Amino acid sequence: MTDQPNSSKNADSEKFNPKEFLMHPINYIRSFCAAKDESTMPHYKLTYFDLRGRAEVSRQLFALAGVPYEDNRLNFEQWPAFKQTTPFGQIPLLEVDGTMIAQSITIARFLARRFGYIGANDIEAAQIDSLADVIMDYHNEQKHFFPVLMGRMPGDKDALYKEIYEPVRDKYLPILVEKFLKKNPNGYLIGSKVSYADLMLAEHISVYMNVLPNAFDKYPELIAHKEKVQSLPALKQWIETRPKTSY
């Protein structure tokens, strides 16, 4: 019986080439480390509809971090079958090496912590989490207006704007402006670096300004914040090249 080759030894030999190392040590080490990092990097798969919606902040975090991922976009015909495979019958859904993570804000927080977009310390992280929760409260209180605004449901858009959106806007947005943006000379909600809460706010302002250009005229700080956040080079490139959708 012939001896079988040692597969692990062969694999190691293929990974490390002494001759190449001796000839070009610096370049070899760089390429060797890059290949090793790529081989050990988790596989991320983010599933959502072909919309920005509740997955967009997570997509922007991937763009900012420069981390590759699978941007899996479902059409509405694919949704019923896929729904049966999800933990809660909802998307977005993030898979990390096959392990599922559900709920849009949970996904964004996970990625923000992993990639470093959740403040400089635990105190800032808690403040950013609280701001994200407040922004979600703001969205939830005007949830009956948004589908009408975007043409997904019938209704009187102008009446709902006055009855629902304006009161909610003027309840929450002054808090973000007066208590956070005006008090932070760096131009972000908290700290000196963009956070996932900044992405949530800027994306909302951007979506609404596309259909309601004057909605934030009384809050120029929010417009300036949006422009600052979305002018970050990696994010700017993503916004310019991402699939075109209405929201």
Side-chain angles (χ1 to χ4, degrees):
M1 180 180 294
T2 59
D3 292 337
Q4 295 297 316
N6 187 321
S7 59
S8 63
K9 183 178 179 179
N10 287 350
D12 288 342
S13 298
E14 291 173 3
K15 289 180 181 178
F16 181 73
N17 187 319
K19 183 178 179 180
E20 290 292 328
F21 172 72
L22 291 172
M23 291 176 62
H24 308 286
I26 296 176
N27 290 339
Y28 188 85
I29 290 171
R30 286 175 178 167
S31 61
F32 181 79
C33 292
K36 185 175 179 64
D37 289 344
E38 185 175 343
S39 67
T40 58
M41 183 179 294
H43 177 259
Y44 297 100
K45 180 179 180 180
L46 182 63
T47 299
Y48 192 58
F49 298 115
D50 189 20
L51 300 168
R52 302 203 302 274
R54 292 180 178 267
E56 182 59 17
V57 168
S58 293
R59 292 182 184 130
Q60 291 182 7
L61 285 164
F62 279 116
L64 282 170
V67 174
Y69 71 106
E70 184 179 348
D71 188 5
N72 185 36
R73 294 173 181 248
L74 302 179
N75 59 44
F76 291 108
E77 289 72 28
Q78 295 171 307
W79 169 234
F82 187 84
K83 183 177 181 179
Q84 304 306 314
T85 71
T86 68
F88 308 123
Q90 299 171 328
I91 49 178
L93 179 72
L94 178 68
E95 296 173 67
V96 185
D97 289 335
T99 299
M100 294 183 177
I101 302 173
Q103 297 291 331
S104 59
I105 298 302
T106 298
I107 293 168
R109 282 176 174 152
F110 168 80
L111 295 175
R113 284 188 170 87
R114 179 159 282 201
F115 300 156
Y117 294 98
I118 192 166
N121 51 55
D122 289 346
I123 297 296
E124 286 191 2
Q127 291 176 307
I128 289 165
D129 282 342
S130 69
L131 281 162
D133 289 341
V134 165
I135 292 169
M136 288 305 298
D137 289 343
Y138 160 72
H139 285 306
N140 289 333
E141 284 195 29
Q142 44 110 2
K143 64 183 179 181
H144 297 298
F145 170 66
F146 184 73
V148 176
L149 174 66
M150 304 309 295
R152 289 166 42 199
M153 290 180 61
D156 188 333
K157 180 176 68 176
D158 293 334
L160 291 174
Y161 182 85
K162 293 291 186 182
E163 294 168 10
I164 296 178
Y165 183 65
E166 279 193 336
V168 174
R169 179 196 65 187
D170 296 338
K171 172 183 175 182
Y172 284 96
L173 298 190
I175 296 171
L176 302 179
V177 171
E178 299 297 329
K179 295 186 177 182
F180 294 93
L181 289 178
K182 284 189 175 181
K183 292 185 176 182
N184 187 358
N186 293 307
Y188 298 118
L189 289 167
I190 293 290
S192 59
K193 181 180 177 181
V194 69
S195 73
Y196 81 98
D198 290 301
L199 299 181
M200 291 174 66
L201 180 59
E203 176 64 13
H204 165 71
I205 300 299
S206 179
V207 169
Y208 270 47
M209 285 185 67
N210 285 338
V211 288
L212 296 170
N214 304 115
F216 307 108
D217 285 354
K218 62 195 290 187
Y219 302 111
E221 296 87 356
L222 293 175
I223 298 172
H225 172 265
K226 175 193 78 74
E227 292 173 351
K228 178 180 177 65
V229 170
Q230 296 190 340
S231 67
L232 294 167
L235 190 54
K236 184 174 185 290
Q237 181 180 16
W238 164 251
I239 290 170
E240 291 172 350
T241 59
R242 69 188 175 189
K244 304 302 180 187
T245 61
S246 57
Y247 61 94

